[in-house]
Amino acid sequence: MPISLVPAYHGSLIADALAMPVHWYYDRDALDHDYPNLCGFRRPLNHHAGSILWRSSYVPLNERGDILHDQARFWGQRGIHYHQNLAAGENTVNFKLARELYGQVRENGAYSEDAWLELYITRMLTPGWHRDTYLEEYHRGFFTNYAQGKPPLKCGIKDEHIGGLAQVPALVAALAGLSREEIRQTVKSHVALTHRHPNVLRAADCLARLLMDLQDGIPLRDAVKESAGDWFSTRKALAWESRPDRTIIGQVLSPACYIDQSFPAALYLAWKYHDDFSAAIIANAKVGGDNCHRGAVVGSLAGLSAPEGIESWLNGLKES
């Protein structure tokens, strides 16, 4: 009997919530100073020394593009934490959307692009639905196009960040029962609604295949070798695993968000900690960078490979 994919979905949510206070920390000394012994859910400090919000701007063209709501006033200020309003164990906006997607597909018994886009637009335009201060470029691009009057199916942009994978574990878990090809096609179609970059679509397909491999009982390290060889070398990983994670993801691979580096980095952490869910998500958080979105990969793969490690985290996950 196939393994349940729910631990993959839960694992992605847990990995995001754990990494949330240290999201986009590139100064590891600052990360260690601000969050020493990070091994559980924490609320973010008010200050984020590495925040780039002071360099960011977004002005909605009209009410159809107003997705920042009361958080707009913080843009352009220095030191603002991207997730300053979130509680310990709370998910960032991309994973809140993953929850909505999972619930919609399970309730309706099927996936619909039109139904999802309607829900996505409604949620993002509802003041108070999300409490994040920073919203990724793909949200801003989508709603700029939407505010210009483009139909929702045409509003996605060519975004190449790993944030495009945040909803993949939720969608694969919700589609359990469909064939592999049906799931793969649905995942690619869904991700393309917001992320039209070919490498993001290729990574989304790879993650879906890996999750289904694990569902079929294939060990994680074997699955990565067989299904992710175009992204990741297990031969190199064998040489890397004795070195500090911050050396591999920092000097060999970038901790940043671009998919060509972030997806292999996430695969490496899932591969290295294939038998220990907690160790995998803690390592992912502590290497900094775009750890929340890498968590979609690390948390889902490690969660499915070592599901016994998930239970202790679920009670602390807000709105679990």
Side-chain angles (χ1 to χ4, degrees):
M1 179 177 295
I3 298 168
S4 170
L5 283 162
V6 172
Y9 166 51
H10 286 165
S12 69
L13 299 181
I14 292 167
D16 167 63
L18 174 67
M20 175 267 291
V22 294
H23 195 192
W24 285 310
Y25 266 73
Y26 290 96
D27 182 338
R28 276 80 171 266
D29 290 336
L31 189 158
D32 293 339
H33 176 271
D34 291 348
Y35 302 91
N37 303 314
L38 181 66
C39 58
F41 296 132
R42 295 275 304 276
R43 73 169 306 277
L45 302 175
N46 291 330
H47 183 76
H48 188 310
S51 173
I52 62 165
L53 266 173
W54 66 275
R55 297 188 312 187
S56 303
S57 64
Y58 175 70
V59 179
L61 298 180
N62 51 50
E63 63 182 13
R64 286 163 60 94
D66 186 8
I67 53 176
L68 296 183
H69 307 297
D70 62 340
Q71 297 302 300
R73 68 185 187 275
F74 296 109
W75 285 55
Q77 297 186 33
R78 291 182 181 269
I80 299 296
H81 198 291
Y82 305 99
H83 311 297
Q84 61 178 331
N85 303 307
L86 303 193
E90 189 170 356
N91 284 120
T92 61
V93 67
N94 285 346
F95 291 83
K96 285 178 66 71
L97 289 166
R99 288 173 177 254
E100 295 282 350
L101 176 62
Y102 180 84
Q104 182 185 67
V105 175
R106 295 296 293 171
E107 181 177 351
N108 293 345
Y111 172 80
S112 163
E113 289 182 351
D114 291 335
W116 167 248
L117 287 170
E118 181 180 359
L119 183 59
Y120 171 52
I121 292 167
T122 298
R123 292 291 186 262
M124 294 296 288
L125 292 180
T126 300
W129 175 78
H130 75 81
R131 302 197 299 160
D132 267 324
T133 297
Y134 183 75
L135 295 178
E136 278 196 286
E137 181 181 353
Y138 87 84
H139 295 298
R140 290 175 271 149
F142 183 98
F143 280 92
T144 294
N145 288 333
Y146 184 65
Q148 291 173 339
K150 293 183 179 180
L153 285 168
K154 302 293 186 181
C155 287
I157 66 171
K158 197 176 181 180
D159 188 289
E160 59 179 317
H161 301 139
I162 195 171
L165 305 187
Q167 297 161 29
V168 171
L171 183 55
V172 174
L175 294 172
L178 297 184
S179 70
R180 287 178 69 98
E181 287 307 311
E182 287 175 315
I183 291 174
R184 289 177 63 186
Q185 185 55 55
T186 301
V187 165
K188 286 187 285 187
S189 297
H190 173 76
V191 174
L193 294 175
T194 51
H195 293 73
R196 295 183 176 178
H197 197 282
N199 281 345
V200 176
L201 298 177
R202 189 163 62 91
D205 181 56
C206 181
L207 179 55
R209 286 186 284 116
L210 287 170
L211 292 172
M212 290 184 286
D213 287 347
L214 295 180
Q215 184 187 31
D216 290 340
I218 300 173
L220 192 152
R221 287 194 169 190
D222 293 342
V224 169
K225 183 177 181 180
E226 294 300 321
S227 294
D230 55 337
W231 284 99
F232 179 76
S233 168
T234 56
R235 179 182 56 81
K236 290 181 179 179
L238 287 168
W240 294 346
E241 65 177 328
S242 62
R243 300 167 68 186
D245 294 333
R246 287 179 172 180
T247 299
I248 302 305
I249 302 175
Q251 297 180 19
V252 180
L253 296 168
S254 171
C257 50
Y258 293 99
I259 196 73
D260 64 328
Q261 294 285 302
S262 55
F263 190 53
L267 290 175
Y268 171 67
L269 291 175
W271 179 91
K272 180 176 180 179
Y273 298 102
H274 64 102
D275 58 354
D276 190 333
F277 173 75
S278 294
I281 64 170
I282 291 171
N284 175 60
K286 287 186 174 182
V287 297
D290 198 358
N291 42 19
C292 279
H293 299 136
R294 283 197 315 266
V297 180
V298 179
S300 63
L301 293 177
L304 207 50
S305 180
E308 65 279 355
I310 287 182
E311 194 62 34
S312 63
W313 294 89
L314 281 177
N315 287 338
L317 192 63
K318 190 171 175 63
E319 300 174 0
S320 61

